[in-house]
Amino acid sequence: QTSSLVFSSLFSNFFSSLLWNILCSLFVNIHLMFVMFLYRMSDEISLILHHNGKFIQNANGALEYVGGEFCVWEEVETYLVNVWTPQELCKACCNYEKFISVCYLVSGIGLQRLTNDHDVLSMCQTGLTDPKKEAHVYLENVDPEGVLLMKLGQ
């Protein structure tokens, strides 16, 4: 009978410990999901997509964007943005086929090429630090025949 009591006690301790670990783990996971949700909510920016213009070098050798229009995509979650996001969003609002160059604006520095993941992180960080939570992206597009697309009179 003593061995039965010891076994019962060990069995009971094991399962109560297991139950406690499961509950603690569940609480930690729920807390982490809530924190990640709050973190992601604060990582939304507006992408201002400038299109139908062209890039030129000014007299100082700096890259400038002239002409064009823009469309705005609000509440873009930065953790979902990749190097193709500005092009895909611009295609969705303007029916462009192809882009030959994409840049983003860094305040105090100027236009920077958007070509890789490091550039995407920098662009998103620029948007997150902006008082209006905006990142300006400039796209030079071509028409389906491969000719630079500009409106007449620009």
Side-chain angles (χ1 to χ4, degrees):
Q1 232 186 30
T2 308
S3 65
S4 173
L5 227 90
V6 169
F7 179 75
S8 175
S9 175
L10 286 174
F11 192 75
S12 174
N13 286 341
F14 171 76
F15 278 105
S16 65
S17 176
L18 180 64
L19 181 61
W20 176 252
N21 285 335
I22 290 172
L23 289 174
C24 286
S25 177
L26 184 61
F27 175 78
V28 167
N29 285 334
I30 290 171
H31 182 261
L32 284 174
M33 288 177 12
F34 180 72
V35 168
M36 288 175 60
F37 173 76
L38 290 177
Y39 177 74
R40 288 183 176 162
M41 289 297 290
S42 66
D43 278 358
E44 292 179 347
I45 61 174
S46 293
L47 286 178
I48 315 300
L49 304 176
H50 300 262
H51 57 90
N52 205 33
K54 67 176 181 175
F55 292 105
I56 62 166
Q57 282 196 313
N58 65 18
N60 297 332
L63 195 59
E64 285 187 13
Y65 190 81
V66 295
E69 309 161 41
F70 67 92
C71 57
V72 178
W73 288 83
E74 296 178 339
E75 298 177 4
V76 176
E77 297 181 18
T78 57
Y79 72 96
L80 295 176
V81 176
N82 63 45
V83 74
W84 304 108
T85 301
Q87 295 179 44
E88 295 304 317
L89 293 176
C90 199
K91 284 179 183 179
C93 72
C94 304
N95 294 322
Y96 295 126
E97 295 288 323
K98 186 177 176 184
F99 300 91
I100 55 175
S101 191
V102 180
C103 294
Y104 65 100
L105 181 63
V106 178
S107 181
I109 297 175
L111 292 173
Q112 303 293 308
R113 301 246 181 237
L114 183 63
T115 59
N116 56 45
D117 291 336
H118 181 269
D119 298 337
V120 170
L121 291 173
S122 178
M123 177 194 70
C124 289
Q125 189 61 39
T126 298
L128 289 170
T129 57
D130 180 74
K132 296 180 182 177
K133 300 268 189 196
E134 294 178 346
H136 289 262
V137 182
Y138 298 81
L139 302 102
E140 189 170 17
N141 47 287
V142 294
D143 70 6
E145 288 82 38
V147 179
L148 182 63
L149 186 62
M150 290 287 293
K151 288 187 174 179
L152 292 175
Q154 291 184 340

